[in-house]
Coordinates of all heavy atoms in Angstrom, one line a residue:
M230 N 19.9 1.5 -9.6 CA 20.4 2.7 -8.9 C 20.8 2.2 -7.5 O 20.0 1.6 -6.8 CB 19.3 3.8 -8.9 CG 19.7 5.0 -8.2 SD 18.5 6.3 -8.3 CE 19.3 7.4 -9.4
L231 N 21.9 2.6 -7.1 CA 22.4 2.3 -5.8 C 21.7 3.0 -4.7 O 21.3 4.1 -4.8 CB 23.9 2.6 -5.7 CG 24.9 1.9 -6.6 CD1 26.3 2.3 -6.4 CD2 24.8 0.4 -6.3
G232 N 21.4 2.2 -3.7 CA 20.7 2.7 -2.5 C 19.2 3.0 -2.7 O 18.6 3.6 -1.8
E233 N 18.6 2.5 -3.8 CA 17.2 2.8 -4.1 C 16.3 2.0 -3.1 O 16.6 0.8 -2.9 CB 16.9 2.4 -5.5 CG 15.6 2.8 -6.0 CD 15.4 2.5 -7.5 OE1 16.4 2.5 -8.2 OE2 14.2 2.4 -7.9
N234 N 15.3 2.6 -2.7 CA 14.3 2.0 -1.8 C 13.4 1.1 -2.6 O 12.7 1.6 -3.5 CB 13.5 3.1 -1.0 CG 12.5 2.6 -0.1 OD1 12.3 1.4 0.0 ND2 11.9 3.4 0.7
H235 N 13.4 -0.2 -2.2 CA 12.5 -1.1 -2.9 C 11.4 -1.7 -1.9 O 11.0 -2.8 -2.0 CB 13.3 -2.3 -3.4 CG 14.1 -1.9 -4.6 ND1 13.5 -1.8 -5.9 CD2 15.4 -1.7 -4.8 CE1 14.5 -1.5 -6.8 NE2 15.6 -1.4 -6.1
S236 N 11.0 -0.8 -1.0 CA 9.9 -1.3 0.0 C 8.7 -1.7 -0.8 O 8.5 -1.2 -2.0 CB 9.6 -0.2 1.0 OG 8.9 0.9 0.4
L237 N 7.9 -2.5 -0.2 CA 6.6 -2.9 -0.9 C 5.8 -1.7 -1.2 O 5.2 -1.6 -2.3 CB 5.9 -3.9 -0.1 CG 6.6 -5.3 0.1 CD1 5.7 -6.2 1.0 CD2 6.8 -6.0 -1.2
N238 N 5.6 -0.8 -0.3 CA 4.8 0.4 -0.5 C 5.4 1.3 -1.6 O 4.6 1.9 -2.4 CB 4.6 1.2 0.8 CG 3.6 0.5 1.7 OD1 2.6 -0.1 1.2 ND2 3.9 0.6 3.0
S239 N 6.7 1.3 -1.8 CA 7.3 2.1 -2.8 C 7.1 1.5 -4.2 O 6.8 2.2 -5.2 CB 8.8 2.3 -2.6 OG 9.0 3.1 -1.4
D240 N 7.3 0.2 -4.2 CA 7.2 -0.5 -5.5 C 5.8 -0.8 -6.0 O 5.5 -1.0 -7.1 CB 8.1 -1.8 -5.5 CG 9.6 -1.5 -5.6 OD1 9.9 -0.3 -5.7 OD2 10.3 -2.5 -5.5
F241 N 4.9 -1.0 -5.0 CA 3.5 -1.3 -5.3 C 2.5 -0.3 -4.6 O 1.7 -0.7 -3.8 CB 3.2 -2.7 -4.9 CG 4.1 -3.8 -5.4 CD1 4.9 -4.5 -4.6 CD2 4.1 -4.0 -6.8 CE1 5.7 -5.5 -5.1 CE2 5.0 -5.0 -7.3 CZ 5.8 -5.7 -6.5
P242 N 2.6 1.0 -5.0 CA 1.8 2.0 -4.3 C 0.3 1.7 -4.5 O -0.5 2.0 -3.6 CB 2.2 3.3 -4.9 CG 2.8 2.9 -6.2 CD 3.4 1.6 -6.0
E243 N -0.1 1.0 -5.5 CA -1.5 0.7 -5.8 C -2.0 -0.3 -4.8 O -3.3 -0.5 -4.7 CB -1.7 0.3 -7.3 CG -1.1 -1.0 -7.6 CD 0.4 -1.0 -8.0 OE1 1.1 0.0 -7.7 OE2 0.9 -1.9 -8.6
Y244 N -1.1 -1.0 -4.1 CA -1.6 -2.1 -3.2 C -1.3 -1.7 -1.7 O -1.3 -2.5 -0.8 CB -0.8 -3.4 -3.5 CG -1.1 -4.0 -4.7 CD1 -0.2 -4.0 -5.8 CD2 -2.3 -4.7 -4.9 CE1 -0.6 -4.6 -7.0 CE2 -2.7 -5.3 -6.1 CZ -1.8 -5.3 -7.2 OH -2.1 -5.9 -8.3
R245 N -1.2 -0.4 -1.4 CA -0.9 0.0 -0.1 C -1.9 -0.4 0.9 O -1.6 -0.9 2.0 CB -0.8 1.6 0.0 CG 0.6 2.0 -0.5 CD 0.8 3.5 -0.2 NE 2.2 3.8 -0.6 CZ 2.6 4.9 -1.1 NH1 1.7 5.9 -1.1 NH2 3.8 5.1 -1.4
E246 N -3.2 -0.3 0.6 CA -4.2 -0.8 1.5 C -4.2 -2.3 1.7 O -4.4 -2.8 2.8 CB -5.6 -0.3 1.0 CG -5.8 1.2 1.1 CD -7.1 1.6 0.5 OE1 -8.1 0.8 0.4 OE2 -7.3 2.8 0.2
V247 N -4.0 -3.0 0.6 CA -3.9 -4.5 0.7 C -2.7 -4.9 1.5 O -2.8 -5.8 2.4 CB -3.8 -5.1 -0.7 CG1 -3.7 -6.6 -0.7 CG2 -5.0 -4.7 -1.5
I248 N -1.6 -4.2 1.3 CA -0.4 -4.5 2.1 C -0.6 -4.3 3.6 O -0.3 -5.1 4.5 CB 0.8 -3.7 1.7 CG1 1.3 -4.1 0.3 CG2 2.0 -3.8 2.6 CD1 2.2 -3.1 -0.4
S249 N -1.3 -3.2 3.9 CA -1.6 -2.9 5.3 C -2.5 -3.9 5.9 O -2.3 -4.4 7.0 CB -2.2 -1.5 5.4 OG -2.5 -1.2 6.7
A250 N -3.5 -4.3 5.2 CA -4.5 -5.3 5.7 C -3.8 -6.6 5.9 O -4.1 -7.3 6.9 CB -5.7 -5.4 4.7
L251 N -3.0 -7.0 4.9 CA -2.3 -8.3 5.1 C -1.4 -8.3 6.2 O -1.2 -9.3 6.9 CB -1.6 -8.7 3.8 CG -2.5 -9.2 2.6 CD1 -1.8 -9.3 1.3 CD2 -3.2 -10.5 3.0
N252 N -0.7 -7.2 6.4 CA 0.3 -7.1 7.6 C -0.5 -7.3 8.9 O 0.1 -7.8 9.8 CB 1.1 -5.8 7.5 CG 2.3 -5.9 6.6 OD1 3.0 -6.9 6.6 ND2 2.6 -4.8 5.9
K253 N -1.7 -6.8 8.9 CA -2.5 -6.9 10.2 C -3.1 -8.2 10.4 O -3.3 -8.7 11.5 CB -3.6 -5.8 10.2 CG -3.0 -4.4 10.3 CD -4.2 -3.4 10.3 CE -3.6 -2.0 10.3 NZ -4.6 -1.0 10.0
N254 N -3.6 -8.9 9.3 CA -4.4 -10.0 9.3 C -3.8 -11.4 8.9 O -4.4 -12.4 9.0 CB -5.7 -9.8 8.5 CG -6.4 -8.6 9.0 OD1 -6.6 -8.4 10.2 ND2 -6.9 -7.7 8.1
D255 N -2.6 -11.3 8.3 CA -2.0 -12.5 7.8 C -0.5 -12.6 8.4 O 0.4 -12.0 7.9 CB -2.0 -12.5 6.3 CG -1.4 -13.7 5.6 OD1 -0.6 -14.4 6.2 OD2 -1.9 -14.0 4.5
A256 N -0.4 -13.4 9.4 CA 0.9 -13.5 10.1 C 2.0 -14.0 9.1 O 3.2 -13.5 9.2 CB 0.8 -14.5 11.3
K257 N 1.7 -14.9 8.2 CA 2.7 -15.4 7.3 C 3.2 -14.2 6.4 O 4.4 -14.1 6.1 CB 2.2 -16.6 6.5 CG 3.3 -17.2 5.6 CD 2.7 -18.4 4.8 CE 3.8 -18.9 3.9 NZ 3.3 -20.1 3.2
F258 N 2.2 -13.5 5.8 CA 2.6 -12.4 5.0 C 3.4 -11.4 5.7 O 4.4 -10.9 5.2 CB 1.3 -11.7 4.4 CG 1.6 -10.5 3.5 CD1 1.7 -10.7 2.2 CD2 1.7 -9.2 4.0 CE1 2.0 -9.6 1.3 CE2 2.0 -8.2 3.2 CZ 2.1 -8.4 1.9
A259 N 3.0 -11.0 7.0 CA 3.6 -10.0 7.8 C 5.1 -10.5 8.0 O 6.0 -9.6 8.0 CB 2.9 -9.8 9.1
E260 N 5.3 -11.8 8.3 CA 6.6 -12.3 8.6 C 7.5 -12.1 7.3 O 8.7 -11.7 7.4 CB 6.6 -13.7 9.0 CG 7.9 -14.4 9.2 CD 7.8 -15.8 9.5 OE1 6.8 -16.3 10.0 OE2 8.8 -16.5 9.2
K261 N 7.0 -12.5 6.2 CA 7.7 -12.4 4.9 C 8.0 -11.0 4.5 O 9.1 -10.7 4.0 CB 7.0 -13.2 3.8 CG 6.9 -14.7 4.0 CD 8.3 -15.3 4.0 CE 8.2 -16.8 4.1 NZ 9.5 -17.5 4.2
A262 N 7.0 -10.1 4.8 CA 7.2 -8.7 4.5 C 8.3 -8.1 5.3 O 9.1 -7.3 4.9 CB 5.9 -8.0 4.6
K263 N 8.3 -8.5 6.6 CA 9.4 -8.0 7.5 C 10.7 -8.5 7.0 O 11.7 -7.7 7.0 CB 9.1 -8.5 8.9 CG 10.1 -8.0 9.9 CD 9.8 -8.5 11.3 CE 10.9 -8.0 12.3 NZ 10.7 -8.6 13.6
Q264 N 10.8 -9.8 6.7 CA 12.1 -10.3 6.1 C 12.5 -9.5 4.9 O 13.7 -9.2 4.7 CB 12.0 -11.8 5.7 CG 11.9 -12.7 6.9 CD 11.7 -14.2 6.4 OE1 11.0 -14.4 5.4 NE2 12.2 -15.1 7.1
Y265 N 11.6 -9.3 4.0 CA 11.8 -8.5 2.8 C 12.4 -7.1 3.1 O 13.4 -6.7 2.6 CB 10.6 -8.4 1.9 CG 10.8 -7.6 0.7 CD1 11.4 -8.1 -0.5 CD2 10.4 -6.3 0.7 CE1 11.6 -7.3 -1.6 CE2 10.7 -5.5 -0.4 CZ 11.2 -6.0 -1.6 OH 11.5 -5.2 -2.7
D266 N 11.7 -6.4 4.0 CA 12.1 -5.0 4.3 C 13.5 -5.0 5.0 O 14.3 -4.1 4.7 CB 11.1 -4.4 5.3 CG 9.8 -4.0 4.6 OD1 9.8 -3.8 3.3 OD2 8.7 -3.9 5.3
E267 N 13.7 -6.0 5.9 CA 15.1 -6.0 6.5 C 16.2 -6.3 5.5 O 17.2 -5.7 5.5 CB 15.1 -7.1 7.6 CG 14.2 -6.6 8.8 CD 14.1 -7.7 9.9 OE1 14.5 -8.9 9.6 OE2 13.5 -7.5 10.9
L268 N 15.9 -7.2 4.6 CA 16.9 -7.5 3.5 C 17.1 -6.3 2.6 O 18.2 -6.0 2.3 CB 16.5 -8.8 2.8 CG 17.4 -9.3 1.7 CD1 18.8 -9.6 2.3 CD2 16.9 -10.6 1.1
D269 N 16.0 -5.7 2.2 CA 16.1 -4.5 1.4 C 16.9 -3.4 2.0 O 17.8 -2.8 1.4 CB 14.7 -4.0 1.0 CG 14.8 -2.8 0.1 OD1 15.4 -2.9 -1.0 OD2 14.2 -1.8 0.4
K270 N 16.7 -3.2 3.3 CA 17.5 -2.1 4.0 C 18.9 -2.5 4.1 O 19.8 -1.7 3.9 CB 16.9 -2.0 5.4 CG 15.6 -1.2 5.4 CD 15.0 -1.1 6.8 CE 13.6 -0.6 6.8 NZ 12.9 -0.7 8.0
E271 N 19.2 -3.8 4.4 CA 20.6 -4.2 4.5 C 21.3 -4.1 3.1 O 22.5 -3.6 3.1 CB 20.6 -5.7 4.9 CG 22.0 -6.2 5.1 CD 22.1 -7.7 5.6 OE1 21.0 -8.3 5.7 OE2 23.2 -8.2 5.8
I272 N 20.7 -4.4 2.0 CA 21.2 -4.2 0.7 C 21.5 -2.7 0.4 O 22.6 -2.3 -0.1 CB 20.3 -4.8 -0.4 CG1 20.3 -6.3 -0.3 CG2 20.8 -4.4 -1.8 CD1 19.3 -7.0 -1.1
R273 N 20.5 -1.9 0.8 CA 20.7 -0.4 0.5 C 21.9 0.1 1.3 O 22.7 0.9 0.8 CB 19.5 0.4 0.9 CG 18.4 0.3 -0.1 CD 17.3 1.3 0.1 NE 17.0 1.6 1.5 CZ 15.9 1.2 2.1 NH1 15.1 0.4 1.5 NH2 15.7 1.5 3.4
V274 N 22.0 -0.3 2.6 CA 23.2 0.2 3.4 C 24.5 -0.3 2.8 O 25.4 0.5 2.6 CB 23.0 -0.3 4.8 CG1 24.3 -0.1 5.6 CG2 21.9 0.4 5.5
L275 N 24.6 -1.5 2.4 CA 25.8 -2.0 1.8 C 26.1 -1.3 0.5 O 27.3 -1.0 0.2 CB 25.7 -3.6 1.5 CG 25.7 -4.4 2.8 CD1 25.3 -5.8 2.5 CD2 27.1 -4.4 3.5
E276 N 25.1 -1.1 -0.4 CA 25.3 -0.3 -1.6 C 25.9 1.1 -1.4 O 26.8 1.5 -2.1 CB 24.0 -0.3 -2.4 CG 23.7 -1.6 -3.1 CD 22.4 -1.5 -3.8 OE1 21.5 -0.6 -3.5 OE2 22.2 -2.3 -4.7
L277 N 25.4 1.7 -0.4 CA 25.8 3.1 -0.1 C 27.2 3.1 0.5 O 27.9 4.1 0.5 CB 24.8 3.8 0.8 CG 23.4 4.1 0.2 CD1 22.5 4.6 1.2 CD2 23.6 5.0 -1.0
K278 N 27.6 2.0 1.1 CA 29.0 1.9 1.6 C 29.9 1.2 0.6 O 30.9 0.6 1.0 CB 29.0 1.1 2.9 CG 28.3 1.7 4.1 CD 28.4 0.9 5.3 CE 27.7 1.5 6.5 NZ 27.7 0.7 7.7
D279 N 29.6 1.3 -0.7 CA 30.3 0.6 -1.7 C 30.4 -0.9 -1.6 O 31.5 -1.5 -1.9 CB 31.7 1.3 -1.9 CG 31.7 2.7 -2.3 OD1 30.7 3.0 -3.1 OD2 32.5 3.5 -1.9
A280 N 29.4 -1.5 -1.1 CA 29.3 -2.9 -0.9 C 30.5 -3.6 -0.4 O 31.2 -4.3 -1.1 CB 28.9 -3.6 -2.3
P281 N 30.8 -3.4 0.9 CA 32.0 -4.0 1.5 C 31.9 -5.5 1.7 O 32.3 -6.1 2.8 CB 32.2 -3.3 2.8 CG 30.8 -2.9 3.2 CD 30.1 -2.6 1.9
I282 N 31.2 -6.2 0.8 CA 31.1 -7.7 0.8 C 31.4 -8.2 -0.6 O 31.5 -7.4 -1.6 CB 29.7 -8.1 1.2 CG1 28.6 -7.6 0.2 CG2 29.4 -7.7 2.6 CD1 27.3 -8.2 0.5
D283 N 31.6 -9.5 -0.7 CA 32.0 -10.0 -2.1 C 30.8 -10.0 -3.0 O 29.6 -10.0 -2.5 CB 32.6 -11.4 -1.9 CG 31.6 -12.4 -1.3 OD1 31.6 -12.5 -0.1 OD2 30.9 -13.0 -2.1
D284 N 31.0 -10.0 -4.3 CA 30.0 -9.9 -5.3 C 29.0 -11.0 -5.2 O 27.8 -10.9 -5.4 CB 30.6 -9.8 -6.7 CG 31.2 -8.5 -7.0 OD1 31.0 -7.5 -6.2 OD2 32.0 -8.4 -8.0
E285 N 29.5 -12.2 -4.9 CA 28.6 -13.4 -4.8 C 27.6 -13.3 -3.7 O 26.4 -13.6 -3.9 CB 29.5 -14.7 -4.6 CG 28.6 -15.9 -4.7 CD 29.5 -17.2 -4.6 OE1 30.6 -17.2 -5.1 OE2 29.0 -18.2 -4.1
T286 N 28.0 -12.8 -2.6 CA 27.1 -12.6 -1.4 C 26.1 -11.5 -1.8 O 24.9 -11.7 -1.5 CB 27.9 -12.2 -0.2 OG1 28.9 -13.2 0.1 CG2 27.0 -12.0 1.0
M287 N 26.5 -10.4 -2.4 CA 25.6 -9.4 -2.8 C 24.6 -9.9 -3.8 O 23.4 -9.7 -3.7 CB 26.3 -8.1 -3.3 CG 25.4 -7.0 -3.8 SD 24.3 -6.3 -2.4 CE 25.4 -5.1 -1.8
H288 N 25.0 -10.7 -4.7 CA 24.2 -11.3 -5.7 C 23.1 -12.2 -5.0 O 21.9 -12.1 -5.4 CB 25.0 -12.0 -6.8 CG 24.1 -12.7 -7.8 ND1 23.5 -12.1 -8.8 CD2 23.8 -14.0 -7.9 CE1 22.8 -12.9 -9.5 NE2 23.0 -14.1 -9.0
Q289 N 23.6 -13.0 -4.1 CA 22.7 -13.9 -3.4 C 21.6 -13.1 -2.6 O 20.4 -13.5 -2.6 CB 23.4 -14.8 -2.5 CG 22.6 -15.9 -1.8 CD 21.9 -16.8 -2.8 OE1 22.6 -17.4 -3.6 NE2 20.6 -17.0 -2.7
M290 N 22.0 -12.0 -2.0 CA 21.1 -11.2 -1.2 C 20.0 -10.6 -2.1 O 18.9 -10.6 -1.8 CB 21.9 -10.1 -0.5 CG 22.7 -10.6 0.7 SD 23.8 -9.3 1.4 CE 22.5 -8.3 2.2
K291 N 20.5 -10.1 -3.3 CA 19.5 -9.5 -4.2 C 18.6 -10.6 -4.8 O 17.4 -10.3 -5.0 CB 20.3 -8.8 -5.3 CG 20.9 -7.5 -4.8 CD 21.5 -6.7 -6.0 CE 22.1 -5.4 -5.5 NZ 22.6 -4.6 -6.5
H292 N 19.1 -11.8 -5.0 CA 18.3 -12.9 -5.5 C 17.2 -13.2 -4.4 O 16.1 -13.4 -4.8 CB 19.2 -14.1 -5.8 CG 18.4 -15.3 -6.1 ND1 18.0 -16.3 -5.2 CD2 17.9 -15.8 -7.3 CE1 17.3 -17.2 -5.8 NE2 17.3 -16.9 -7.1
D293 N 17.7 -13.3 -3.2 CA 16.7 -13.6 -2.1 C 15.6 -12.6 -2.0 O 14.5 -12.9 -1.8 CB 17.5 -13.8 -0.8 CG 18.4 -15.0 -0.7 OD1 18.3 -15.9 -1.6 OD2 19.2 -15.1 0.2
R294 N 16.0 -11.3 -2.1 CA 15.1 -10.2 -2.1 C 14.0 -10.4 -3.2 O 12.8 -10.2 -3.0 CB 15.8 -8.9 -2.2 CG 14.8 -7.7 -2.2 CD 15.5 -6.4 -2.2 NE 16.3 -6.2 -3.5 CZ 17.0 -5.1 -3.7 NH1 17.2 -4.2 -2.9 NH2 17.7 -5.1 -4.9
A295 N 14.5 -10.7 -4.4 CA 13.6 -10.8 -5.6 C 12.7 -12.0 -5.3 O 11.5 -11.9 -5.7 CB 14.4 -11.1 -6.8
M296 N 13.1 -13.1 -4.8 CA 12.3 -14.2 -4.5 C 11.2 -13.9 -3.5 O 10.0 -14.2 -3.7 CB 13.1 -15.4 -4.0 CG 14.1 -16.0 -5.0 SD 13.4 -16.5 -6.6 CE 12.6 -18.0 -6.0
L297 N 11.6 -13.2 -2.4 CA 10.6 -12.8 -1.5 C 9.6 -11.8 -2.1 O 8.4 -11.9 -1.8 CB 11.3 -12.1 -0.3 CG 11.9 -13.0 0.8 CD1 12.8 -12.1 1.7 CD2 10.8 -13.7 1.6
K298 N 10.1 -10.9 -2.9 CA 9.2 -9.9 -3.5 C 8.2 -10.6 -4.4 O 7.0 -10.3 -4.4 CB 10.0 -8.9 -4.3 CG 9.2 -7.8 -4.9 CD 10.1 -6.8 -5.6 CE 9.6 -5.4 -5.7 NZ 10.5 -4.5 -6.2
D299 N 8.6 -11.6 -5.2 CA 7.7 -12.4 -6.1 C 6.6 -13.1 -5.2 O 5.5 -13.1 -5.6 CB 8.5 -13.4 -6.9 CG 9.3 -12.7 -8.0 OD1 9.0 -11.6 -8.4 OD2 10.1 -13.4 -8.6
L300 N 7.1 -13.7 -4.1 CA 6.1 -14.4 -3.3 C 5.1 -13.4 -2.7 O 3.9 -13.7 -2.7 CB 6.9 -15.1 -2.1 CG 6.0 -15.8 -1.2 CD1 6.4 -17.3 -1.3 CD2 6.3 -15.4 0.2
L301 N 5.5 -12.3 -2.2 CA 4.6 -11.3 -1.6 C 3.7 -10.7 -2.7 O 2.5 -10.5 -2.4 CB 5.4 -10.2 -1.0 CG 6.2 -10.6 0.3 CD1 7.3 -9.6 0.7 CD2 5.3 -10.9 1.4
Y302 N 4.2 -10.5 -3.9 CA 3.4 -9.9 -5.0 C 2.3 -10.9 -5.4 O 1.2 -10.5 -5.6 CB 4.3 -9.6 -6.2 CG 3.5 -9.0 -7.3 CD1 2.9 -7.7 -7.2 CD2 3.3 -9.7 -8.5 CE1 2.1 -7.2 -8.2 CE2 2.6 -9.1 -9.6 CZ 2.0 -7.9 -9.4 OH 1.3 -7.4 -10.5
Q303 N 2.6 -12.2 -5.4 CA 1.6 -13.2 -5.7 C 0.5 -13.1 -4.7 O -0.7 -13.2 -5.0 CB 2.2 -14.6 -5.8 CG 3.1 -14.8 -7.0 CD 2.3 -14.4 -8.3 OE1 1.2 -14.9 -8.6 NE2 3.0 -13.7 -9.2
R304 N 0.9 -12.9 -3.4 CA -0.1 -12.9 -2.4 C -1.0 -11.6 -2.5 O -2.2 -11.6 -2.3 CB 0.6 -12.9 -1.0 CG -0.4 -12.9 0.2 CD -1.1 -14.3 0.3 NE -2.0 -14.3 1.4 CZ -3.3 -14.0 1.3 NH1 -3.9 -13.8 0.2 NH2 -4.0 -14.0 2.4
L305 N -0.4 -10.5 -2.9 CA -1.1 -9.3 -3.2 C -2.1 -9.5 -4.3 O -3.3 -9.0 -4.2 CB -0.2 -8.1 -3.5 CG 0.7 -7.6 -2.4 CD1 1.7 -6.6 -3.0 CD2 -0.1 -7.0 -1.3
L306 N -1.7 -10.2 -5.3 CA -2.6 -10.4 -6.4 C -3.8 -11.3 -6.0 O -4.9 -11.0 -6.4 CB -1.9 -11.1 -7.6 CG -0.9 -10.2 -8.4 CD1 -0.2 -11.1 -9.4 CD2 -1.6 -9.0 -9.0
E307 N -3.5 -12.3 -5.2 CA -4.6 -13.2 -4.7 C -5.6 -12.4 -3.9 O -6.8 -12.6 -4.0 CB -4.0 -14.3 -3.9 CG -3.2 -15.4 -4.7 CD -2.4 -16.3 -3.7 OE1 -2.6 -16.3 -2.5 OE2 -1.6 -17.1 -4.3
Q308 N -5.1 -11.6 -3.0 CA -5.9 -10.8 -2.1 C -6.8 -9.8 -2.8 O -7.8 -9.4 -2.4 CB -5.1 -10.2 -1.0 CG -5.9 -9.5 0.1 CD -6.6 -10.5 0.9 OE1 -6.2 -11.7 1.1 NE2 -7.7 -10.1 1.5
S309 N -6.3 -9.3 -4.0 CA -6.9 -8.3 -4.7 C -8.1 -8.8 -5.6 O -8.8 -8.0 -6.2 CB -5.9 -7.5 -5.6 OG -5.0 -6.9 -4.7
K310 N -8.2 -10.1 -5.8 CA -9.2 -10.7 -6.7 C -10.6 -10.5 -6.1 O -10.9 -10.5 -4.9 CB -8.9 -12.1 -7.0 CG -7.7 -12.3 -7.8 CD -7.5 -13.7 -8.1 CE -6.2 -13.9 -9.0 NZ -6.0 -15.3 -9.3

């Protein structure tokens, strides 16, 4: 769906407390989460403007977002054990 919010809290509501704790206590996680949020917002804005960039660039941005999300999710799983 175009313009859909994929923030970590939206996609992983069951980890909200863990996300908050990691953002406060893990500088690397906080940095990657910030990168993820900024990229997600940029993608949403572009989608809502009918993606005024080429398809390859949009595909790369979505790929990068997915890679960051996977990395962050793995950290959430580790912290939840």
Side-chain angles (χ1 to χ4, degrees):
M230 177 176 254
L231 294 179
E233 188 174 335
N234 182 353
H235 287 283
S236 71
L237 293 177
N238 284 324
S239 293
D240 285 355
F241 304 117
E243 67 277 16
Y244 291 108
R245 281 191 176 148
E246 290 179 19
V247 177
I248 292 167
S249 179
L251 285 170
N252 275 323
K253 291 177 186 172
N254 302 315
D255 184 331
K257 184 177 178 181
F258 180 90
E260 177 186 333
K261 294 295 183 186
K263 182 180 177 187
Q264 286 177 327
Y265 175 84
D266 286 338
E267 289 172 355
L268 185 55
D269 182 52
K270 287 176 188 172
E271 185 177 2
I272 290 169
R273 282 197 322 259
V274 167
L275 289 168
E276 286 178 337
L277 293 173
K278 292 181 179 179
D279 294 326
I282 60 173
D283 62 272
D284 288 345
E285 186 175 327
T286 302
M287 179 61 87
H288 177 74
Q289 185 62 50
M290 291 171 72
K291 287 183 176 184
H292 175 267
D293 293 347
R294 178 178 65 182
M296 296 300 289
L297 278 169
K298 188 177 203 172
D299 286 346
L300 180 113
L301 293 165
Y302 181 66
Q303 289 305 313
R304 185 68 180 99
L305 292 174
L306 290 177
E307 289 170 9
Q308 188 67 26
S309 298
K310 290 181 182 180

